[in-house]
Amino acid sequence: MTTTTDVRPAAEMSGRASTAARPVRWWSGRVSFRMHRRTALVSGGALLLAALLLLVSLSVGSYPVSVPDVARALFYGTGDRLAVHFVNQERLPQALLAILAGCALGMSGAIFQSVSRNALASPDVIGFNSGAATGAILVIVTFGGAAASVAAGAIAGGLVTALLVSVLASRGGLHGIRLVLIGLGVTAMLGSVNSYLLTRSSLNDAQNAHIWLVGTLNGRSWSSVQIMAVALLLLVPLALLFGRRLRMMELGDDLATGLGVRVNRSRLALTVLGIGLCGVAVASAGPIPFIALAAPQIAVMVSRSPGVSLVSAGAVGAGLLSAAHLASSQFFSALVWVDRQVGWIQVVEESQRNNLLPVGVTTAVLGGVYLAWVLFKRRGTGTA
């Protein structure tokens, strides 16, 4: 029996019942925004979940902090010195980065899945994350790895990889199956390149790059949050601006052209935006798997919308990565010695900060469970 990959547009896979959903409209002057009611509820619920997980992340850990103490530390910077340190300097940057990076990965996955009309065409599958990782590793082992330079290297690596994959996959027209297969091959090649770069670097650089390659939020500071926030302020409005064209392109190139969409230019612009979103996420937290793959499809499945929504995909991505970060931070904790009388902490060994489970490990496990569930659900249908 022949097994094929289901490459139907997301609009067809989301169910016919969603077409009857009543849309919600927001407008201000000449700018209007239209979203199905259930999609708006799913987006709001996912963002609320991410906010609740952020609050829990600030409270739990090797040094528990009560909710009132968290509020005092956040809004007034007063209270127990240890509580203020843990909340404002250790936990808050990582929790915010989880939300921002998850949003970027979710929107990036939605863009690539819609452009290619293939549910498997996410940045971590078709090689863009690996290309961004290669660019970032080059910066780390060559220039020392400052935050801004790593971000630039990751975006440049993602763009070069996207150009290579697009050229190889566009012969005879861009097809989802060919894009995924070529992307998998490029991912394997870039994995070898990354391993070679690690063997040629110093021990310290190799250790830093290896920890970063797993995908982790541990030890991230406010500088990473600032880079992510600035990047999202620039990229998200542009992605939403092209969102209407993206929905039309899901109907097919011919129909989208008939509706006035410049398909080639729009596809190029959306590809660059998707690479930029996944590039800054990879630069800030490493190549975290699963989020870009599953967030758009989970958003479509829960909201029953007629297509992939960038807003709901970003919101679900933020919730997924926040949940994974909270789970990772509770599996292993750094051993600390606390002297309450003196009011300072001492990490027993600096290397034990790396004993915290990287969030990329948790998302990889979740991704495997998700793919197994999808395959089990589609058993006997002849699609995978």
Side-chain angles (χ1 to χ4, degrees):
M1 180 179 64
T2 302
T3 300
T4 59
T5 302
D6 193 346
V7 294
R8 292 175 295 171
E12 298 179 13
M13 294 188 290
S14 58
R16 295 184 179 88
S18 62
T19 58
R22 297 176 59 187
V24 179
R25 294 181 177 88
W26 291 271
W27 61 88
S28 176
R30 297 181 179 179
V31 179
S32 63
F33 186 73
R34 185 175 184 270
M35 181 183 294
H36 284 76
R37 189 178 302 276
R38 191 178 179 93
T39 301
L41 292 176
V42 170
S43 302
L47 291 176
L48 179 61
L49 174 63
L52 292 176
L53 292 172
L54 182 145
L55 180 61
V56 174
S57 299
L58 297 181
S59 301
V60 300
S62 58
Y63 186 82
V65 182
S66 63
V67 174
D69 289 339
V70 168
R72 281 192 290 269
L74 282 177
F75 298 110
Y76 304 105
T78 59
D80 185 10
R81 290 178 59 187
L82 291 177
V84 173
H85 170 78
F86 273 112
V87 170
N88 292 335
Q89 302 301 324
E90 297 287 338
R91 298 172 183 170
L92 183 58
Q94 298 176 22
L96 287 177
L97 188 59
I99 293 177
L100 296 177
C103 178
L105 290 172
M107 295 185 71
S108 178
I111 289 174
F112 287 119
Q113 291 177 13
S114 295
V115 168
S116 63
R117 282 169 275 170
N118 191 314
L120 294 178
S122 66
D124 47 345
V125 173
I126 57 180
F128 297 165
N129 277 11
S130 298
T134 302
I137 292 176
L138 281 173
V139 173
I140 291 175
V141 301
T142 305
F143 303 105
S149 58
V150 170
I155 294 175
L159 287 172
V160 173
T161 305
L163 178 62
L164 176 62
V165 173
S166 299
V167 170
L168 294 176
S170 60
R171 296 185 59 183
L174 184 64
H175 299 286
I177 297 178
R178 184 186 297 129
L179 180 66
V180 171
L181 293 177
I182 291 178
L184 289 173
V186 171
T187 299
M189 293 174 59
L190 290 175
S192 301
V193 172
N194 294 341
S195 299
Y196 174 77
L197 290 175
L198 291 178
T199 61
R200 305 301 298 177
S201 60
S202 64
L203 180 60
N204 185 49
D205 290 339
Q207 183 179 7
N208 293 334
H210 179 72
I211 295 172
W212 177 87
L213 273 175
V214 179
T216 181
L217 299 171
N218 303 332
R220 295 297 184 263
S221 62
W222 283 106
S223 60
S224 299
V225 178
Q226 292 170 357
I227 292 175
M228 277 296 306
V230 172
L232 291 185
L233 285 176
L234 294 175
L235 296 175
V236 170
L238 292 175
L240 295 178
L241 183 64
F242 280 90
R244 181 177 177 83
R245 302 182 188 181
L246 187 64
R247 299 294 291 271
M248 292 181 181
M249 290 167 61
E250 289 180 349
L251 303 174
D253 292 353
D254 294 337
L255 185 54
T257 301
L259 294 174
V261 177
R262 297 182 177 180
V263 175
N264 292 332
R265 293 185 180 181
S266 299
R267 182 178 289 117
L268 177 61
L270 286 165
T271 300
V272 172
L273 289 172
I275 294 169
L277 287 169
C278 75
V280 294
V282 170
S284 300
I288 298 177
F290 167 68
I291 303 298
L293 173 66
Q297 297 304 311
I298 292 176
V300 169
M301 179 178 60
V302 176
S303 63
R304 301 175 186 172
S305 63
V308 178
S309 170
L310 296 182
V311 176
S312 61
V316 171
L320 287 176
L321 191 53
S322 297
H325 169 61
L326 178 61
S328 300
S329 64
Q330 296 308 303
F331 284 139
F332 296 99
S333 297
L335 298 178
V336 297
W337 177 71
V338 180
D339 189 337
R340 293 179 180 272
Q341 295 180 351
V342 178
W344 57 281
I345 65 173
Q346 176 182 359
V347 179
V348 177
E349 292 184 51
E350 183 67 24
S351 62
Q352 289 188 358
R353 285 187 178 272
N354 300 330
N355 289 337
L356 292 170
L357 185 66
V359 70
V361 176
T362 304
T363 58
V365 172
L366 293 176
V369 174
Y370 169 78
L371 288 177
W373 176 78
V374 170
L375 293 174
F376 177 79
K377 186 177 179 180
R378 295 188 179 185
R379 69 191 188 282
T381 62
T383 62

